[in-house]
Amino acid sequence: MSEKKQFQAESQRLLDLMIHSIYTHKEIFLRELISNASDAIDKLSYLSLTDENVGLSREDFEIRLAVDKEARTLTVSDNGIGMDASELEHNLGVIADSGTLRFRQQLEEGKGDTDVIGQFGVGFYSAFMVSDHITVVSRKYGAEQAYRWDSDGVDGYTVEPAERASVGTDVILHIKPDSEEEPDEYGRYLREFELRGLVRKYSDYIRFPIRMEVTRSRRVEGSPDDKPEYQDVQEIETMNSMVPLWQRRKSEVTKEEYDEFYETNFGEYTPPQSVITVSVEGAVTYKALLFIPSARPGKWGTEDFQPGLELYSAGVMIMDKCADLLPDQFNFVRGVVESPDLNLNISRELLQHDRQLKIISTNLEKKIKAELERMLRDQRDEYEKFWKNFGIQLKVAALDRYGAKKEALQDLLLFYSSTEQKPVTLAEYVARMQPEQKYIYYATGDKLEAIDHMPQTELLRERKMEILYFTDSVDDFLAEMFRDYKDKPFRSALDGDLELDEAKPEEAEAHQEAFRFLKDCLGQRVNEVKASARLKTHPVCLSSGQGLSFEMEKYFNAVQPDMGMKAQRILEVNTAHPAFLRLEAARIAEPEKAKKYAEILYNQALLIAGLPVEDPTAYTDLLVSLWD
Ligand code: ADP
């Protein structure tokens, strides 16, 4: 007997929970094992396309269930790719999948016994919910030696050499004993009828036959009609229909079936937000089943995320993440494409250049867009949920290649509106514009509340003009790149001139001296000091003039600090504000104090614009010095 090894700490905790869980969906273990078997067959069947040594063709692959009632074992076998000793150790001894971790957290938080949990992909370990011992015998493709992995659960596992006549894997579950209170709790998994039901319920779409030897009562041949005789015979039954979901008409598939497939196949935890089916016959014939996730897939938005759809041809999985099938803006979409037209002998690399793939992806792009438009039109709440998850992707993609996708994406974008207080489309904004309004106004800031209080927007609000709130760092760039929407140009509310035909404040001339004084005090730090047409209750604000905005300045300084990008700084002054009047008075009577006022007003303006105060200590000292 080889030395017993310990499970990795995480795995051990999960196992412990599995074994002791009172989790009501124990039956899902079968789905998990069958799904692993099917993946293993997928891998070998793909190899068989290019490697004739495999010696198996599509029809030869199968998953077998076998029950031994005496020994209380249920065996799930496959003739897939198999595992060698180190794979047995690494794949079954370690939790690699973040989903499993999340499952554990939920169980620990006591949320484990809800229906939701039934949808978790918990993998191989789930078999410990029904077994007190598991043996895995596996022989890897290309190897002569097989290995055997054994474990009672938490106290570790062993791996040692074994025999297996052919390539593939047997997972042998020693089913737990039943208790007196629940005499059929585990024993049910040794019954044909129960197993057949579970296969139909969870694994019907698996594309390889799931077979089991069953006992049937058959009429004895030649027995008389009036007194027929029966005998039990052993037969091999294929329990699943093997018709994958994407080959079936949408009307014939239930929501539960789609949800189940999506969650098992893509390891997701919540049902998809939307299901799109495509069936095309023509230049390229194919079927597609696509899902818009209701939550961001794990790793989405990080460099480790691999977008793409599963690609099948004639029942064989060619690629599990074919990125060429998905346009970048929809990289979050999960799904499957199957086309009999793809040439199976081409390698993955060549496949990437396939003209047929281009045709399919162009068409899928239209279908996904149409589905999003439908949601936006008919299910606004759903669309807003979608937008929270993936809106940023649409925006970033709209910027890509100098706005090449502007036309395609602009009507799917949402921005928070000052008047509606919820996200709105550009079309809705334009439809509500005031008769004299020439521009689509937007204000940029880190948070909605900060923008709510921006003094620069006071005039727009007074004039009942809607303002779009730009809170994502890409938003400013979008406005810059788009320039306009349906001939209505974008204009920042922080821009020096809002072109609202506002009469210049009358006393502006009278204050030229004061403005010159401010400019002298502040030097190069401001480009201009002027009377503000838009400030109503606040003393000062900064505007940036046309060109680089403050948000862009912040962005560039964050990503490329040495570039020293700087937006223009125009100090706008509310000449009716008491603070300004104090400065005016001090300028003549107490010039030193007036200089301090100038400094404070400038720093206040920086703070309001969300820009860093240049010397916080000096500024604080200055404020405090005016207390007496
Ligand atoms: P997941 O399937 O989510 O990766 P599992 O815990 O179910 O997690 O399985 C872990 C790994 O063990 C699989 O990714 C696979 O590499 C390997 N494995 C499990 N079952 C089989 C099998 N029947 N044949 C070959 N490899 C398998």
Side-chain angles (χ1 to χ4, degrees):
M1 197 73 182
S2 69
E3 176 200 354
K4 194 164 261 187
K5 299 188 179 161
Q6 292 307 307
F7 285 104
Q8 182 216 35
E10 264 320 327
S11 315
Q12 192 156 345
R13 296 224 312 265
L14 177 66
L15 267 171
D16 203 23
L17 281 158
M18 283 284 178
I19 293 162
H20 301 114
S21 83
I22 46 153
Y23 176 44
T24 48
H25 288 85
K26 295 190 168 72
E27 63 188 33
I28 56 100
F29 80 90
L30 189 62
R31 169 191 81 182
E32 299 296 323
L33 297 183
I34 288 176
S35 155
N36 282 350
S38 166
D39 290 348
I41 295 180
D42 263 332
K43 287 181 192 149
L44 192 58
S45 99
Y46 178 73
L47 265 186
S48 72
L49 298 179
T50 49
D51 180 348
E52 54 198 32
N53 295 328
V54 173
L56 294 172
S57 59
R58 174 93 182 98
E59 306 77 56
D60 301 323
F61 291 109
E62 64 166 5
I63 297 163
R64 280 277 190 147
L65 303 190
V67 169
D68 182 338
K69 284 206 168 118
E70 296 295 302
R72 271 185 91 83
T73 60
L74 165 64
T75 303
V76 181
S77 303
D78 65 71
N79 51 356
I81 191 99
M83 285 176 274
D84 59 22
S86 94
E87 284 169 328
L88 278 170
E89 183 146 328
H90 286 110
N91 295 346
L92 306 183
V94 177
I95 293 187
D97 182 37
S98 63
T100 333
L101 266 175
R102 248 168 80 182
F103 176 75
R104 182 178 68 68
Q105 281 156 4
Q106 294 244 349
L107 275 180
E108 281 185 343
E109 284 164 22
K111 297 181 199 149
D113 215 60
T114 67
D115 264 7
V116 192
I117 290 293
Q119 295 149 1
F120 275 73
V122 288
F124 177 77
Y125 289 106
S126 62
F128 277 106
M129 294 193 292
V130 300
S131 330
D132 48 23
H133 184 95
I134 299 179
T135 304
V136 180
V137 179
S138 192
R139 181 169 144 199
K140 187 165 171 144
Y141 172 66
E144 286 303 318
Q145 181 68 56
Y147 290 91
R148 176 192 164 109
W149 179 98
D150 269 291
S151 175
D152 290 336
V154 270
D155 67 337
Y157 60 89
T158 55
V159 178
E160 57 194 289
E163 296 287 317
R164 197 180 192 277
S166 55
V167 167
T169 304
D170 307 306
V171 179
I172 305 156
L173 310 181
H174 296 256
I175 300 294
K176 287 182 183 174
D178 290 309
S179 60
E180 259 172 42
E181 303 88 74
E182 275 191 85
D184 198 31
E185 191 179 6
Y186 301 109
R188 62 205 293 182
Y189 303 120
L190 296 165
R191 278 206 309 272
E192 264 168 49
F193 178 78
E194 180 78 20
L195 294 170
R196 185 186 296 118
L198 291 179
V199 168
R200 294 231 173 104
K201 181 170 172 192
Y202 292 114
S203 310
D204 190 63
Y205 60 83
I206 293 283
R207 291 162 302 105
F208 304 102
I210 304 167
R211 299 197 173 116
M212 183 166 62
E213 192 175 81
V214 296
T215 311
R216 285 239 171 82
S217 182
R218 293 269 184 234
R219 188 170 158 184
V220 177
E221 232 176 286
S223 64
D225 275 352
D226 54 342
K227 225 173 136 211
E229 286 170 38
Y230 290 90
Q231 66 181 29
D232 281 351
V233 291
Q234 302 299 111
E235 287 178 0
I236 303 288
E237 177 188 320
T238 299
M239 294 177 287
N240 55 330
S241 72
M242 283 188 283
V243 180
L245 243 49
W246 58 90
Q247 294 292 358
R248 289 163 61 188
R249 254 198 284 270
K250 195 171 188 177
S251 58
E252 292 166 1
V253 183
T254 64
K255 180 181 173 327
E256 287 70 30
E257 282 175 300
Y258 279 132
D259 291 355
E260 179 68 40
F261 172 80
Y262 171 75
E263 286 158 20
T264 320
N265 209 47
F266 301 108
E268 291 297 338
Y269 318 106
T270 46
Q273 194 170 26
S274 201
V275 179
I276 307 169
T277 54
V278 187
S279 176
V280 174
E281 284 178 32
V284 184
T285 295
Y286 70 93
K287 288 202 161 68
L289 173 59
L290 308 180
F291 300 93
I292 297 178
S294 55
R296 292 179 172 184
K299 296 190 185 151
W300 187 82
T302 73
E303 298 220 328
D304 293 335
F305 178 73
Q306 284 186 313
L309 301 176
E310 286 178 7
L311 179 62
Y312 293 82
S313 183
V316 179
M317 185 197 270
I318 310 279
M319 278 175 103
D320 67 347
K321 293 273 171 69
C322 182
D324 288 351
L325 283 172
L326 267 187
D328 197 38
Q329 68 268 30
F330 301 138
N331 73 354
F332 45 81
V333 170
R334 316 299 291 265
V336 174
V337 174
E338 171 147 23
S339 168
D341 292 347
L342 296 170
N343 180 355
L344 283 185
N345 293 320
I346 44 182
S347 71
R348 288 172 198 219
E349 283 70 31
L350 280 176
L351 200 57
Q352 288 172 4
H353 302 290
D354 206 305
R355 194 183 58 90
Q356 293 162 321
L357 287 191
K358 271 262 154 344
I359 298 175
I360 299 177
S361 91
T362 310
N363 196 17
L364 293 184
E365 176 171 358
K366 283 193 206 126
K367 297 280 180 186
I368 299 168
K369 183 177 172 213
E371 171 61 13
L372 292 175
E373 284 167 345
R374 186 201 61 76
M375 259 200 292
L376 179 59
R377 195 179 54 239
D378 303 339
Q379 291 179 293
R380 182 62 172 240
D381 286 353
E382 287 295 310
Y383 189 80
E384 286 177 21
K385 275 189 225 154
F386 156 80
W387 183 255
K388 270 206 185 112
N389 287 328
F390 302 113
I392 187 74
Q393 183 64 18
L394 267 50
K395 288 186 192 168
V396 170
L399 272 180
D400 200 30
R401 283 180 291 135
Y402 304 101
K405 297 253 183 228
K406 173 184 172 186
E407 289 297 322
L409 293 176
Q410 61 186 0
D411 283 314
L412 290 175
L413 305 182
L414 295 183
F415 300 97
Y416 184 87
S417 149
S418 60
T419 53
E420 305 304 299
Q421 307 207 333
K422 64 180 176 76
V424 301
T425 64
L426 293 173
E428 288 160 354
Y429 181 102
V430 167
R432 276 192 295 263
M433 278 169 74
Q434 301 293 339
E436 76 277 20
Q437 189 178 345
K438 288 187 280 196
Y439 298 99
I440 299 175
Y441 290 107
Y442 63 88
T444 316
D446 294 336
K447 290 208 180 70
L448 298 182
E449 303 76 51
I451 303 177
D452 269 339
H453 301 123
M454 271 185 186
Q456 293 94 324
T457 62
E458 279 191 302
L459 178 63
L460 288 171
R461 290 179 204 277
E462 192 182 81
R463 300 274 290 259
K464 305 241 174 319
M465 289 186 186
E466 188 171 353
I467 305 164
L468 298 179
Y469 286 16
F470 281 10
T471 45
D472 279 329
S473 60
V474 295
D475 290 343
D476 263 357
F477 294 96
L478 258 185
E480 184 87 346
M481 183 77 80
F482 277 14
R483 293 188 178 278
D484 58 23
Y485 170 80
K486 304 250 159 94
D487 297 329
K488 304 286 184 204
F490 287 95
R491 173 69 53 108
S492 166
L494 312 189
D495 197 316
D497 183 2
L498 295 177
E499 292 195 41
L500 285 176
D501 305 324
E502 198 72 350
K504 279 229 153 149
E506 277 175 22
E507 325 90 302
E509 277 308 308
H511 298 298
Q512 284 311 321
E513 276 295 307
F515 294 163
R516 221 168 292 134
F517 173 79
L518 278 166
K519 174 79 181 84
D520 286 345
C521 292
L522 301 173
Q524 295 300 314
R525 290 179 286 168
V526 295
N527 301 74
E528 190 186 344
V529 179
K530 67 176 196 183
S532 176
R534 57 179 145 186
L535 289 175
K536 299 293 162 194
T537 56
H538 300 278
V540 280
C541 69
L542 276 185
S543 58
S544 57
Q546 309 235 351
L548 200 66
S549 68
F550 295 133
E551 286 313 304
M552 288 183 184
E553 171 184 317
K554 279 184 242 170
Y555 174 80
F556 282 123
N557 286 332
V559 292
Q560 269 182 308
D562 344 323
M563 260 169 49
M565 295 292 267
K566 211 160 183 211
Q568 275 203 47
R569 282 160 166 62
I570 299 165
L571 183 66
E572 292 191 22
V573 183
N574 179 355
T575 52
H577 198 280
F580 179 74
L581 301 178
R582 288 277 286 279
L583 177 117
E584 269 285 43
R587 188 165 61 84
I588 317 237
E590 298 173 279
E592 280 314 307
K593 199 171 208 171
K595 275 187 197 160
K596 289 184 177 179
Y597 286 153
E599 207 55 45
I600 288 170
L601 286 178
Y602 171 66
N603 279 293
Q604 298 282 2
L606 281 180
L607 284 172
I608 292 171
L611 292 165
V613 168
E614 282 141 22
D615 187 343
T617 320
Y619 177 57
T620 312
D621 290 347
L622 182 63
L623 277 182
V624 176
S625 77
L626 288 172
W627 274 2
D628 40 52

PDB file of all heavy atoms in Angstrom, residues 455 458 530 532 535-541 571-580 601 604-605 608:
ATOM      1  N   PRO A 455     -20.995  72.867  -8.771  1.00  0.00           N
ATOM      2  CA  PRO A 455     -21.488  74.219  -9.054  1.00  0.00           C
ATOM      3  C   PRO A 455     -21.584  74.503 -10.558  1.00  0.00           C
ATOM      4  O   PRO A 455     -22.481  75.227 -10.990  1.00  0.00           O
ATOM      5  CB  PRO A 455     -20.459  75.125  -8.388  1.00  0.00           C
ATOM      6  CG  PRO A 455     -19.380  74.262  -7.868  1.00  0.00           C
ATOM      7  CD  PRO A 455     -19.798  72.845  -7.947  1.00  0.00           C
ATOM      8  N   GLU A 458     -25.016  74.292 -12.188  1.00  0.00           N
ATOM      9  CA  GLU A 458     -26.168  75.021 -11.651  1.00  0.00           C
ATOM     10  C   GLU A 458     -27.027  75.671 -12.729  1.00  0.00           C
ATOM     11  O   GLU A 458     -28.244  75.581 -12.718  1.00  0.00           O
ATOM     12  CB  GLU A 458     -25.690  76.105 -10.677  1.00  0.00           C
ATOM     13  CG  GLU A 458     -25.379  75.576  -9.298  1.00  0.00           C
ATOM     14  CD  GLU A 458     -25.185  76.706  -8.305  1.00  0.00           C
ATOM     15  OE1 GLU A 458     -24.306  77.542  -8.553  1.00  0.00           O
ATOM     16  OE2 GLU A 458     -25.919  76.733  -7.313  1.00  0.00           O
ATOM     17  N   LYS A 530     -12.247  84.657 -14.883  1.00  0.00           N
ATOM     18  CA  LYS A 530     -13.341  85.405 -15.502  1.00  0.00           C
ATOM     19  C   LYS A 530     -14.622  85.319 -14.678  1.00  0.00           C
ATOM     20  O   LYS A 530     -14.750  84.461 -13.790  1.00  0.00           O
ATOM     21  CB  LYS A 530     -13.587  84.908 -16.916  1.00  0.00           C
ATOM     22  CG  LYS A 530     -14.112  83.495 -17.013  1.00  0.00           C
ATOM     23  CD  LYS A 530     -14.397  83.170 -18.472  1.00  0.00           C
ATOM     24  CE  LYS A 530     -15.272  81.931 -18.551  1.00  0.00           C
ATOM     25  NZ  LYS A 530     -15.535  81.495 -19.896  1.00  0.00           N
ATOM     26  N   SER A 532     -18.286  84.291 -13.910  1.00  0.00           N
ATOM     27  CA  SER A 532     -19.028  83.108 -14.318  1.00  0.00           C
ATOM     28  C   SER A 532     -20.459  83.460 -14.665  1.00  0.00           C
ATOM     29  O   SER A 532     -21.116  84.224 -13.957  1.00  0.00           O
ATOM     30  CB  SER A 532     -19.036  82.085 -13.185  1.00  0.00           C
ATOM     31  OG  SER A 532     -19.834  80.995 -13.568  1.00  0.00           O
ATOM     32  N   LEU A 535     -22.605  80.282 -12.287  1.00  0.00           N
ATOM     33  CA  LEU A 535     -22.651  80.051 -10.849  1.00  0.00           C
ATOM     34  C   LEU A 535     -23.800  80.837 -10.238  1.00  0.00           C
ATOM     35  O   LEU A 535     -23.998  82.008 -10.555  1.00  0.00           O
ATOM     36  CB  LEU A 535     -21.330  80.460 -10.206  1.00  0.00           C
ATOM     37  CG  LEU A 535     -20.147  79.541 -10.504  1.00  0.00           C
ATOM     38  CD1 LEU A 535     -18.872  80.116  -9.907  1.00  0.00           C
ATOM     39  CD2 LEU A 535     -20.399  78.138  -9.982  1.00  0.00           C
ATOM     40  N   LYS A 536     -24.578  80.160  -9.404  1.00  0.00           N
ATOM     41  CA  LYS A 536     -25.725  80.829  -8.791  1.00  0.00           C
ATOM     42  C   LYS A 536     -25.514  80.989  -7.282  1.00  0.00           C
ATOM     43  O   LYS A 536     -25.721  82.046  -6.734  1.00  0.00           O
ATOM     44  CB  LYS A 536     -27.001  80.019  -9.031  1.00  0.00           C
ATOM     45  CG  LYS A 536     -27.343  79.851 -10.493  1.00  0.00           C
ATOM     46  CD  LYS A 536     -27.735  81.163 -11.141  1.00  0.00           C
ATOM     47  CE  LYS A 536     -27.627  81.045 -12.654  1.00  0.00           C
ATOM     48  NZ  LYS A 536     -27.678  82.333 -13.345  1.00  0.00           N
ATOM     49  N   THR A 537     -25.128  79.912  -6.622  1.00  0.00           N
ATOM     50  CA  THR A 537     -24.996  79.992  -5.166  1.00  0.00           C
ATOM     51  C   THR A 537     -23.573  79.742  -4.685  1.00  0.00           C
ATOM     52  O   THR A 537     -23.275  79.957  -3.526  1.00  0.00           O
ATOM     53  CB  THR A 537     -25.916  78.956  -4.486  1.00  0.00           C
ATOM     54  OG1 THR A 537     -25.572  77.673  -5.010  1.00  0.00           O
ATOM     55  CG2 THR A 537     -27.372  79.225  -4.763  1.00  0.00           C
ATOM     56  N   HIS A 538     -22.729  79.251  -5.561  1.00  0.00           N
ATOM     57  CA  HIS A 538     -21.359  78.922  -5.145  1.00  0.00           C
ATOM     58  C   HIS A 538     -20.387  80.022  -5.579  1.00  0.00           C
ATOM     59  O   HIS A 538     -20.612  80.679  -6.582  1.00  0.00           O
ATOM     60  CB  HIS A 538     -20.932  77.593  -5.762  1.00  0.00           C
ATOM     61  CG  HIS A 538     -21.821  76.469  -5.355  1.00  0.00           C
ATOM     62  ND1 HIS A 538     -21.678  75.814  -4.159  1.00  0.00           N
ATOM     63  CD2 HIS A 538     -22.885  75.911  -5.970  1.00  0.00           C
ATOM     64  CE1 HIS A 538     -22.612  74.895  -4.061  1.00  0.00           C
ATOM     65  NE2 HIS A 538     -23.365  74.933  -5.149  1.00  0.00           N
ATOM     66  N   PRO A 539     -19.291  80.200  -4.835  1.00  0.00           N
ATOM     67  CA  PRO A 539     -18.380  81.319  -5.119  1.00  0.00           C
ATOM     68  C   PRO A 539     -17.510  81.124  -6.358  1.00  0.00           C
ATOM     69  O   PRO A 539     -17.304  82.066  -7.121  1.00  0.00           O
ATOM     70  CB  PRO A 539     -17.512  81.399  -3.863  1.00  0.00           C
ATOM     71  CG  PRO A 539     -17.577  80.051  -3.240  1.00  0.00           C
ATOM     72  CD  PRO A 539     -18.911  79.485  -3.594  1.00  0.00           C
ATOM     73  N   VAL A 540     -16.971  79.904  -6.544  1.00  0.00           N
ATOM     74  CA  VAL A 540     -16.020  79.696  -7.650  1.00  0.00           C
ATOM     75  C   VAL A 540     -16.183  78.309  -8.243  1.00  0.00           C
ATOM     76  O   VAL A 540     -16.751  77.411  -7.629  1.00  0.00           O
ATOM     77  CB  VAL A 540     -14.545  79.750  -7.164  1.00  0.00           C
ATOM     78  CG1 VAL A 540     -14.062  81.161  -6.984  1.00  0.00           C
ATOM     79  CG2 VAL A 540     -14.355  78.898  -5.921  1.00  0.00           C
ATOM     80  N   CYS A 541     -15.657  78.139  -9.447  1.00  0.00           N
ATOM     81  CA  CYS A 541     -15.467  76.798  -9.987  1.00  0.00           C
ATOM     82  C   CYS A 541     -14.358  76.867 -11.024  1.00  0.00           C
ATOM     83  O   CYS A 541     -13.975  77.950 -11.464  1.00  0.00           O
ATOM     84  CB  CYS A 541     -16.754  76.239 -10.592  1.00  0.00           C
ATOM     85  SG  CYS A 541     -17.285  77.051 -12.092  1.00  0.00           S
ATOM     86  N   LEU A 571     -10.480  79.869 -13.959  1.00  0.00           N
ATOM     87  CA  LEU A 571     -11.144  80.096 -12.677  1.00  0.00           C
ATOM     88  C   LEU A 571     -12.363  80.974 -12.921  1.00  0.00           C
ATOM     89  O   LEU A 571     -12.242  82.121 -13.363  1.00  0.00           O
ATOM     90  CB  LEU A 571     -10.183  80.768 -11.688  1.00  0.00           C
ATOM     91  CG  LEU A 571     -10.749  80.995 -10.288  1.00  0.00           C
ATOM     92  CD1 LEU A 571     -11.013  79.679  -9.561  1.00  0.00           C
ATOM     93  CD2 LEU A 571      -9.800  81.863  -9.461  1.00  0.00           C
ATOM     94  N   GLU A 572     -13.542  80.405 -12.683  1.00  0.00           N
ATOM     95  CA  GLU A 572     -14.770  81.181 -12.848  1.00  0.00           C
ATOM     96  C   GLU A 572     -15.208  81.714 -11.492  1.00  0.00           C
ATOM     97  O   GLU A 572     -15.247  80.967 -10.512  1.00  0.00           O
ATOM     98  CB  GLU A 572     -15.880  80.307 -13.432  1.00  0.00           C
ATOM     99  CG  GLU A 572     -15.612  79.883 -14.864  1.00  0.00           C
ATOM    100  CD  GLU A 572     -16.832  79.241 -15.514  1.00  0.00           C
ATOM    101  OE1 GLU A 572     -17.967  79.494 -15.038  1.00  0.00           O
ATOM    102  OE2 GLU A 572     -16.650  78.501 -16.489  1.00  0.00           O
ATOM    103  N   VAL A 573     -15.558  82.978 -11.476  1.00  0.00           N
ATOM    104  CA  VAL A 573     -15.889  83.618 -10.204  1.00  0.00           C
ATOM    105  C   VAL A 573     -17.334  84.101 -10.225  1.00  0.00           C
ATOM    106  O   VAL A 573     -17.796  84.678 -11.217  1.00  0.00           O
ATOM    107  CB  VAL A 573     -14.956  84.824  -9.966  1.00  0.00           C
ATOM    108  CG1 VAL A 573     -15.248  85.465  -8.614  1.00  0.00           C
ATOM    109  CG2 VAL A 573     -13.509  84.394 -10.045  1.00  0.00           C
ATOM    110  N   ASN A 574     -18.039  83.854  -9.141  1.00  0.00           N
ATOM    111  CA  ASN A 574     -19.399  84.370  -8.993  1.00  0.00           C
ATOM    112  C   ASN A 574     -19.282  85.760  -8.362  1.00  0.00           C
ATOM    113  O   ASN A 574     -19.062  85.899  -7.160  1.00  0.00           O
ATOM    114  CB  ASN A 574     -20.192  83.411  -8.095  1.00  0.00           C
ATOM    115  CG  ASN A 574     -21.615  83.869  -7.868  1.00  0.00           C
ATOM    116  OD1 ASN A 574     -22.000  84.965  -8.309  1.00  0.00           O
ATOM    117  ND2 ASN A 574     -22.392  83.035  -7.192  1.00  0.00           N
ATOM    118  N   THR A 575     -19.436  86.800  -9.199  1.00  0.00           N
ATOM    119  CA  THR A 575     -19.141  88.159  -8.723  1.00  0.00           C
ATOM    120  C   THR A 575     -20.199  88.680  -7.752  1.00  0.00           C
ATOM    121  O   THR A 575     -20.027  89.718  -7.141  1.00  0.00           O
ATOM    122  CB  THR A 575     -19.000  89.127  -9.910  1.00  0.00           C
ATOM    123  OG1 THR A 575     -20.163  88.990 -10.734  1.00  0.00           O
ATOM    124  CG2 THR A 575     -17.747  88.826 -10.702  1.00  0.00           C
ATOM    125  N   ALA A 576     -21.313  87.902  -7.646  1.00  0.00           N
ATOM    126  CA  ALA A 576     -22.346  88.349  -6.711  1.00  0.00           C
ATOM    127  C   ALA A 576     -22.177  87.690  -5.349  1.00  0.00           C
ATOM    128  O   ALA A 576     -22.907  87.981  -4.406  1.00  0.00           O
ATOM    129  CB  ALA A 576     -23.720  88.023  -7.277  1.00  0.00           C
ATOM    130  N   HIS A 577     -21.236  86.792  -5.253  1.00  0.00           N
ATOM    131  CA  HIS A 577     -21.091  86.008  -4.009  1.00  0.00           C
ATOM    132  C   HIS A 577     -20.366  86.818  -2.928  1.00  0.00           C
ATOM    133  O   HIS A 577     -19.378  87.499  -3.218  1.00  0.00           O
ATOM    134  CB  HIS A 577     -20.307  84.723  -4.306  1.00  0.00           C
ATOM    135  CG  HIS A 577     -20.466  83.690  -3.245  1.00  0.00           C
ATOM    136  ND1 HIS A 577     -19.762  83.722  -2.083  1.00  0.00           N
ATOM    137  CD2 HIS A 577     -21.285  82.595  -3.186  1.00  0.00           C
ATOM    138  CE1 HIS A 577     -20.116  82.694  -1.332  1.00  0.00           C
ATOM    139  NE2 HIS A 577     -21.048  81.983  -1.991  1.00  0.00           N
ATOM    140  N   PRO A 578     -20.831  86.709  -1.663  1.00  0.00           N
ATOM    141  CA  PRO A 578     -20.188  87.461  -0.574  1.00  0.00           C
ATOM    142  C   PRO A 578     -18.680  87.216  -0.483  1.00  0.00           C
ATOM    143  O   PRO A 578     -17.925  88.132  -0.160  1.00  0.00           O
ATOM    144  CB  PRO A 578     -20.879  86.930   0.679  1.00  0.00           C
ATOM    145  CG  PRO A 578     -22.136  86.299   0.214  1.00  0.00           C
ATOM    146  CD  PRO A 578     -21.996  85.932  -1.206  1.00  0.00           C
ATOM    147  N   ALA A 579     -18.261  85.997  -0.795  1.00  0.00           N
ATOM    148  CA  ALA A 579     -16.830  85.695  -0.692  1.00  0.00           C
ATOM    149  C   ALA A 579     -16.029  86.586  -1.641  1.00  0.00           C
ATOM    150  O   ALA A 579     -14.961  87.103  -1.296  1.00  0.00           O
ATOM    151  CB  ALA A 579     -16.579  84.226  -1.013  1.00  0.00           C
ATOM    152  N   PHE A 580     -16.590  86.790  -2.832  1.00  0.00           N
ATOM    153  CA  PHE A 580     -15.891  87.634  -3.800  1.00  0.00           C
ATOM    154  C   PHE A 580     -15.910  89.094  -3.336  1.00  0.00           C
ATOM    155  O   PHE A 580     -14.926  89.826  -3.471  1.00  0.00           O
ATOM    156  CB  PHE A 580     -16.537  87.498  -5.189  1.00  0.00           C
ATOM    157  CG  PHE A 580     -15.881  88.372  -6.222  1.00  0.00           C
ATOM    158  CD1 PHE A 580     -14.625  88.046  -6.729  1.00  0.00           C
ATOM    159  CD2 PHE A 580     -16.497  89.529  -6.673  1.00  0.00           C
ATOM    160  CE1 PHE A 580     -14.000  88.853  -7.669  1.00  0.00           C
ATOM    161  CE2 PHE A 580     -15.879  90.343  -7.609  1.00  0.00           C
ATOM    162  CZ  PHE A 580     -14.629  90.004  -8.111  1.00  0.00           C
ATOM    163  N   LEU A 601      -9.715  80.571  -2.535  1.00  0.00           N
ATOM    164  CA  LEU A 601     -10.720  80.370  -3.589  1.00  0.00           C
ATOM    165  C   LEU A 601     -10.213  79.390  -4.646  1.00  0.00           C
ATOM    166  O   LEU A 601     -10.938  78.506  -5.111  1.00  0.00           O
ATOM    167  CB  LEU A 601     -11.083  81.710  -4.247  1.00  0.00           C
ATOM    168  CG  LEU A 601     -11.970  82.615  -3.387  1.00  0.00           C
ATOM    169  CD1 LEU A 601     -12.226  83.942  -4.098  1.00  0.00           C
ATOM    170  CD2 LEU A 601     -13.307  81.919  -3.076  1.00  0.00           C
ATOM    171  N   GLN A 604     -10.273  75.878  -3.276  1.00  0.00           N
ATOM    172  CA  GLN A 604     -11.669  75.393  -3.212  1.00  0.00           C
ATOM    173  C   GLN A 604     -12.106  74.901  -4.581  1.00  0.00           C
ATOM    174  O   GLN A 604     -12.758  73.870  -4.717  1.00  0.00           O
ATOM    175  CB  GLN A 604     -12.618  76.536  -2.788  1.00  0.00           C
ATOM    176  CG  GLN A 604     -12.350  77.113  -1.433  1.00  0.00           C
ATOM    177  CD  GLN A 604     -12.882  76.217  -0.323  1.00  0.00           C
ATOM    178  OE1 GLN A 604     -13.406  75.158  -0.593  1.00  0.00           O
ATOM    179  NE2 GLN A 604     -12.712  76.640   0.904  1.00  0.00           N
ATOM    180  N   ALA A 605     -11.742  75.662  -5.596  1.00  0.00           N
ATOM    181  CA  ALA A 605     -12.141  75.297  -6.961  1.00  0.00           C
ATOM    182  C   ALA A 605     -11.512  73.971  -7.368  1.00  0.00           C
ATOM    183  O   ALA A 605     -12.153  73.128  -8.004  1.00  0.00           O
ATOM    184  CB  ALA A 605     -11.752  76.406  -7.940  1.00  0.00           C
ATOM    185  N   ILE A 608     -13.443  71.145  -5.670  1.00  0.00           N
ATOM    186  CA  ILE A 608     -14.742  70.896  -6.300  1.00  0.00           C
ATOM    187  C   ILE A 608     -14.565  70.117  -7.595  1.00  0.00           C
ATOM    188  O   ILE A 608     -15.337  69.222  -7.920  1.00  0.00           O
ATOM    189  CB  ILE A 608     -15.469  72.234  -6.568  1.00  0.00           C
ATOM    190  CG1 ILE A 608     -15.858  72.873  -5.237  1.00  0.00           C
ATOM    191  CG2 ILE A 608     -16.711  72.010  -7.438  1.00  0.00           C
ATOM    192  CD1 ILE A 608     -16.377  74.282  -5.379  1.00  0.00           C
TER     193      ILE A 608
END
